[in-house]
Amino acid sequence: MCGIVGAVAARPVAEILLEGLRRLEYRGYDSAGMALIADKDIHRLRRAGKVSALADALSTEPLRGHTGIAHTRWATHGKPNEVNAHPHMSGEQLAVVHNGIIENYEPIKAQLIEQGYVFASETDTEVVAHLLDQAIKSGMSLKQAVQNTVSQLEGAFALGVIHKDFPDLLVAARKGSPLVIGVGMGEYFIASDQLALLPVTDRFMFLEDGDIALLTQDQVEIVDKYGQDVQRSISVYEHGISAVDKGEFKHFMLKEIYEQPDVMAQVLEGRIANGHVLEQAFGVDAKHVFDQVKQVQIVACGTSYHAGMVAKYWFEELIGLPCMVEVASEFRYRSVVIREGTLLITLSQSGETADTLAALRDVKSQILASLSICNVPGSSLVRESDLCLMTNAGPEIGVASTKAFTSQLVALLLTCLVIGCRHGLTSEQEKQIVTDLQNLPTLTRTILDLDEPVKAMAEAFAEKHHALFLGRGALYPIALEGALKLKEISYIHAEGYPAGELKHGPLALVDKDMPVVTVAPNNEMLDKLKANLQEVRARGGELFVFAGCEQTLKSEEGMQVIALPACSKLMEPIVYTLPLQLLSYHVAVLKGTDVDQPRNLAKSVTVE
């Protein structure tokens, strides 16, 4: 969630670091700071709040230097204030930036205090600075000090370190938290995300867990967790810089909603041929793995968990394969029973979601194989899984996930099809579903044409404080996702329910001040759902219904209906997601909230 940027170059790097922080704002943060080496001293500047506050401070107190580190912090240990902001220092000698959590910082801190170190902050990070100082004072080089310090730390972390006695050296370390090296011409950079460095390079090295890297203007030296010198390959960033600009749109979220038709086409690209899904797209061992799958276990967090819930309906209804879905933070902390032939599917936009990654590691020895569905090629989840399917959604900057969710749904349906061929799915069925998927980009563009009526509907929510979302079958997880989007960006309390559960509690909340949003496609559950709508109307509730165009549901007093184009049953969860995203977006705009950076949330949750 925090963001790291670092640089060592022949040119001044303060503006490079600042722009890198701006590009990491989407991750969520509460303070920002940087430190540079100049005139044989470390100069540090920190501010609580937005990167703009740091930029304002730099305009009056400019920092100079060719080697430096910078950071955006999301508070875990200690209040979000300037004292706890990074970089942290030990005396005037060295500075450290850190993403992640040091789980054993308390005993280390107690030991350091006994040895005379004084702590200026409440953070776990400051122990790293003092451990490094202690090691260097004992005669170690900066490289040895970092190795020694890292060996004492428990938890997940990425580190950037500078020391005034080594003005041309930047040291980085990674364990469980993402960190990349940007490769320039006579200069090198570090960052927690490639996006931070796109203005200066499109070439990157991805550090492995346990790696320590020493960067100078001329070279990078990397040692692995065993202390052995290693080489990490250089990858070229595949998406244009325009992918991280808003373009004609007011917010990244709206831009990303409108990108979804193209993204769906990108998920399919290279994965289907002659009406069939190409199993090779999942990895070289895909056939061997898929031949042995007897059941599926999906593990994910947040929006990705909702995608997994939809997939459960697909796996079990379409191909009769048992499928369990669980929140990663629960799955990893209970005694799970893994049956023979279990394929573990992990879902994550970033591929660095801490709980999902830990869940994979915890059960890796018990499962048949692991498959990650992810949007970031060099991420930990992708590297540590046996198989992977990249969603190819491009950078998603808005904290509230949109295109990442629908691209995961498309990827999950492809997965269901390729496994289903072993479990009774006929070639004709597969071809029909593939055709439906190929038609999705065109179909979803027609959904986006409904933006104006959805915007008008949103006006009814501007003064509301609560909302209820209803769906049945595979649309129940879509109701959950719709509620999540509304609460994330508009701060309206919203809950999603299976419509059949109304009588079991939620009906008590229904009145004229509780808008009820319903997704009502024209399927076998429609008559049941209509009965649920009548229950709401009988209690004076106001209904907002997204319905299939084939239905007889019409707008009338107490009920607004927007008709969506006809689609096949399997496409319904994807199609009905888009108007809910638009609704949440327009409500948030009306309420004046920070759409792309909602309070208290972060894009990439790399800690528990």
Side-chain angles (χ1 to χ4, degrees):
M1 286 182 282
C2 305
I4 285 175
V5 188
V8 54
R11 54 175 165 164
V13 298
E15 284 302 317
I16 295 173
L17 299 180
L18 186 62
E19 179 59 26
L21 293 186
R22 290 192 182 105
R23 289 170 175 265
L24 292 176
E25 286 189 283
Y26 75 94
R27 297 170 70 93
Y29 69 104
D30 49 55
S31 59
M34 71 170 63
L36 291 95
I37 302 175
D39 302 325
K40 298 183 180 180
D41 282 313
I42 292 179
H43 303 272
R44 178 178 63 168
L45 191 61
R46 302 176 293 172
R47 288 295 184 268
K50 298 289 187 181
V51 170
S52 58
L54 179 65
D56 291 342
L58 283 168
S59 66
T60 57
E61 302 176 53
L63 297 184
R64 296 180 296 108
H66 296 185
T67 302
I69 50 178
H71 190 268
T72 51
R73 176 178 185 256
W74 191 82
T76 55
H77 297 75
K79 297 177 181 179
N81 56 31
E82 187 172 316
V83 170
N84 290 324
H86 295 216
H88 287 287
M89 298 180 67
S90 185
E92 303 296 324
Q93 312 301 312
L94 61 88
V96 176
V97 288
H98 161 228
N99 286 357
I101 291 177
I102 308 300
E103 294 183 343
N104 62 332
Y105 85 99
E106 288 182 326
I108 295 175
K109 182 175 182 177
Q111 185 180 40
L112 288 167
I113 290 172
E114 285 183 5
Q115 295 167 357
Y117 282 93
V118 176
F119 282 76
S121 76
E122 304 168 275
T123 68
D124 53 342
T125 304
E126 196 174 352
V127 303
V128 179
H130 294 319
L131 282 175
L132 288 167
D133 180 72
Q134 185 182 62
I136 289 170
K137 286 179 177 176
S138 72
M140 296 184 189
S141 67
L142 186 55
K143 172 185 175 181
Q144 291 170 329
V146 173
Q147 288 175 310
N148 178 270
T149 297
V150 166
S151 69
Q152 299 180 59
L153 304 179
E154 297 174 6
F157 51 84
L159 302 173
V161 182
I162 57 173
H163 194 290
K164 73 173 190 176
D165 292 341
F166 308 94
D168 301 316
L169 179 62
L170 168 63
V171 183
R174 187 212 165 177
K175 180 185 175 185
S177 193
L179 200 63
V180 301
I181 294 175
V183 180
M185 299 293 291
E187 55 191 13
Y188 287 92
F189 312 91
I190 62 171
S192 45
D193 191 313
Q194 296 160 278
L195 298 182
L197 301 177
L198 288 181
V200 289
T201 185
D202 63 354
R203 297 190 299 153
F204 299 95
M205 298 179 189
F206 294 93
L207 294 179
E208 300 283 347
D209 255 11
D211 282 356
I212 294 174
L214 288 79
L215 292 72
T216 66
Q217 295 177 23
D218 303 318
Q219 66 178 12
V220 173
E221 174 190 343
I222 302 176
V223 294
D224 64 15
K225 61 184 176 182
Y226 304 109
Q228 302 297 313
D229 291 337
V230 292
Q231 299 290 325
R232 300 298 180 209
S233 60
I234 296 176
S235 301
V236 177
Y237 188 77
E238 296 179 355
H239 302 288
I241 292 178
S242 63
V244 295
D245 291 330
K246 287 191 286 248
E248 64 184 31
F249 295 95
K250 184 177 180 180
H251 297 97
F252 280 110
M253 182 180 178
L254 186 61
K255 174 176 180 274
E256 289 154 7
I257 290 173
Y258 272 81
E259 287 176 344
Q260 287 174 109
D262 291 334
V263 166
M264 292 173 194
Q266 290 164 17
V267 181
L268 299 176
E269 188 174 344
R271 276 78 182 266
I272 53 178
N274 301 318
H276 297 285
V277 181
L278 302 175
E279 62 186 16
Q280 302 95 320
F282 293 80
V284 292
D285 294 326
K287 183 182 187 306
H288 174 71
V289 169
F290 292 152
D291 284 345
Q292 301 177 72
V293 173
K294 296 179 181 178
Q295 72 172 19
V296 172
Q297 172 71 64
I298 298 175
V299 175
C301 299
T303 285
S304 295
Y305 171 66
H306 296 156
M309 291 179 70
V310 173
K312 176 180 175 67
Y313 288 89
W314 289 337
F315 277 108
E316 297 193 347
E317 290 185 12
L318 184 61
I319 65 175
L321 193 69
C323 178
M324 286 72 67
V325 187
E326 191 157 356
V327 174
S329 57
E330 292 295 319
F331 182 86
R332 63 178 292 203
Y333 286 116
R334 71 176 184 85
S335 298
V336 296
V337 178
I338 306 293
R339 294 184 179 180
E340 181 184 355
T342 294
L343 174 68
L344 178 71
I345 299 179
T346 55
L347 306 172
S348 171
Q349 191 282 139
S350 67
E352 303 292 348
T353 309
D355 286 317
T356 305
L357 193 54
L360 167 63
R361 291 167 175 168
D362 288 347
V363 300
K364 206 166 187 178
S365 63
Q366 305 173 53
I367 57 176
L368 166 66
S370 56
L371 164 66
S372 70
I373 293 177
C374 184
N375 192 36
V376 180
S379 62
S380 299
L381 204 60
V382 170
R383 294 199 306 272
E384 296 186 28
S385 297
D386 301 305
L387 306 174
C388 70
L389 188 64
M390 307 312 303
T391 54
N392 298 332
E396 187 179 65
I397 307 301
V399 167
S401 181
T402 52
K403 63 179 181 176
F405 176 67
T406 50
S407 64
Q408 286 176 349
L409 289 176
V410 174
L412 283 164
L413 189 48
L414 290 177
T415 307
C416 184
L417 293 180
V418 78
I419 297 175
C421 294
R422 280 100 167 154
H423 294 270
L425 187 71
T426 67
S427 178
E428 291 72 22
Q429 288 175 309
E430 182 185 12
K431 287 182 179 179
Q432 181 56 58
I433 297 167
V434 166
T435 298
D436 290 340
L437 283 168
Q438 290 173 313
N439 291 334
L440 258 182
T442 300
L443 180 60
T444 49
R445 286 188 185 96
T446 65
I447 302 295
L448 296 174
D449 290 339
L450 298 171
D451 184 62
E452 283 302 319
V454 174
K455 184 177 181 180
M457 179 184 282
E459 294 177 4
F461 290 74
E463 303 302 322
K464 303 298 184 183
H465 301 286
H466 308 277
L468 196 61
F469 285 69
L470 302 178
R472 297 199 76 142
L475 277 296
Y476 161 49
I478 302 307
L480 289 172
E481 176 62 14
L484 177 61
K485 285 293 151 290
L486 189 67
K487 73 178 74 170
E488 280 181 322
I489 63 171
S490 73
Y491 314 148
I492 293 175
H493 171 240
E495 298 298 333
Y497 271 90
E501 282 288 290
L502 266 177
K503 298 185 188 71
H504 297 275
L507 206 54
L509 299 173
V510 172
D511 59 21
K512 61 181 178 60
D513 294 319
M514 171 74 83
V516 179
V517 181
T518 307
V519 280
N522 190 32
N523 58 32
E524 73 279 3
M525 299 298 292
L526 180 58
D527 288 338
K528 298 286 188 184
L529 188 57
K530 285 182 177 179
N532 301 137
L533 299 185
Q534 291 303 319
E535 293 169 354
V536 172
R537 297 194 71 185
R539 275 78 181 175
E542 189 174 5
L543 285 162
F544 301 85
V545 183
F546 295 98
C549 62
E550 319 93 325
Q551 297 179 26
T552 58
L553 285 172
K554 303 294 181 184
S555 294
E556 54 187 277
E557 185 177 354
M559 182 166 69
Q560 294 188 39
V561 179
I562 294 180
L564 273 59
C567 65
S568 68
K569 181 180 178 181
L570 289 175
M571 300 302 114
E572 289 170 354
I574 303 170
V575 169
Y576 279 74
T577 293
L578 273 68
L580 297 185
Q581 294 173 346
L582 288 170
L583 177 65
S584 297
Y585 171 78
H586 288 302
V587 173
V589 171
L590 285 170
K591 293 183 74 68
T593 61
D594 191 339
V595 173
D596 288 332
Q597 298 175 41
R599 66 190 184 199
N600 302 332
L601 298 181
K603 182 65 179 174
S604 180
V605 186
T606 57
V607 297
E608 291 186 59

